[in-house]
Amino acid sequence: EAGVAQSPRYKIIEKRQSVAFWCNPISGHATLYWYQQILGQGPKLLIQFQNNGVVDDSQLPKDRFSAERLKGVDSTLKIQPAKLEDSAVYLCASSLWGTLKYFGPGTRLTVT
Amino acid sequence: GQQVMQIPQYQHVQEGEDFTTYCNSSTTLSNIQWYKQRPGGHPVFLIQLVKSGEVKKQKRLTFQFGEAKKNSSLHITATQTTDVGTYFCAGGLSGGSYIPTFGRGTSLIVHP
């Protein structure tokens, strides 16, 4: 069984630039999560999808972050414009239902 | 909102010593999960606890869920250098959609 795929693995941008991350969940997994993990902290949920509907996005900074999950499969997370404090690892995860078991390798973003 | 707290933040042990990390929630949880994250890696699912007072073992790891379903612990017996990493708990509120909230994690450093 293929795991959760993410790209790119690393990204370096300057502040005020835009960036996009892509996630392909495990086949058949209806629930998809985007987490932000700042160095030394636990993952913070940005947005949770159930199929292509949003379950929770209460911690997503909507003035600069956006996410979509077209057709209930792949998902894209975008930041525009980026700030220095957005430097973090962005983790995508998926689950069939209930338990969050599978994380992707993450995208490490550095904003300079 | 829901908060999940973990202590300690760091723990240094000599190889062969025991290790325990504690997780506390401000609200009653429907269930709790534990993850291990190696340096530079992504969280890897270890186990899920669902029932009040539940105790589960995985080789040298023992997981407990409190009677009130507001706290949990992970105990490692006779640590090995392979146990190095950060251990996270994550839980969701009882009732409603399951939205996993992570603690800050406990980083375990094992000295040979």
Side-chain angles (χ1 to χ4, degrees), chain A residues 33 35 37 40-43 45 48 55-56 91 98-101 103-105 108, chain B residues 9 33 35 37 40-43 45 48 88 97-105:
Chain A
Y33 313 79
Y35 280 87
Q37 187 174 24
Q41 298 183 19
L45 182 68
Q48 179 176 339
V55 173
D56 184 85
L91 294 162
T99 309
L100 199 182
K101 285 189 177 182
F103 280 87
R108 184 175 299 276
Chain B
Q9 189 173 352
Q33 293 83 46
Y35 302 82
Q37 185 174 28
H42 59 274
F45 174 81
Q48 174 172 280
F88 293 98
S97 299
Y98 179 69
I99 301 170
T101 299
F102 279 75
R104 192 183 178 110

Side-chain angles (χ1 to χ4, degrees), chain A:
Chain A
E1 177 181 69
V4 178
Q6 288 189 249
S7 67
R9 292 295 310 279
Y10 305 91
K11 191 74 178 178
I12 300 174
I13 61 172
E14 296 181 350
K15 58 185 179 184
R16 291 187 288 275
Q17 286 187 327
S18 63
V19 65
F21 312 128
W22 173 81
C23 173
N24 186 0
I26 293 173
S27 178
H29 281 196
T31 308
L32 184 148
Y33 313 79
W34 282 103
Y35 280 87
Q36 179 194 58
Q37 187 174 24
I38 292 172
L39 188 64
Q41 298 183 19
K44 183 183 89 171
L45 182 68
L46 293 176
I47 190 166
Q48 179 176 339
F49 292 96
Q50 182 73 19
N51 296 309
N52 59 352
V54 175
V55 173
D56 184 85
D57 63 357
S58 58
Q59 297 190 92
L60 186 74
K62 297 180 184 64
D63 58 334
R64 298 184 302 105
F65 286 63
S66 65
E68 60 181 10
R69 190 182 184 195
L70 299 176
K71 301 180 182 178
V73 182
D74 293 7
S75 178
T76 304
L77 177 69
K78 296 180 181 177
I79 308 175
Q80 182 180 10
K83 293 184 175 181
L84 295 176
E85 58 261 35
D86 298 333
S87 293
V89 175
Y90 290 84
L91 294 162
C92 180
S94 72
S95 64
L96 190 56
W97 62 276
T99 309
L100 199 182
K101 285 189 177 182
Y102 305 101
F103 280 87
T107 297
R108 184 175 299 276
L109 173 68
T110 303
V111 183
T112 63

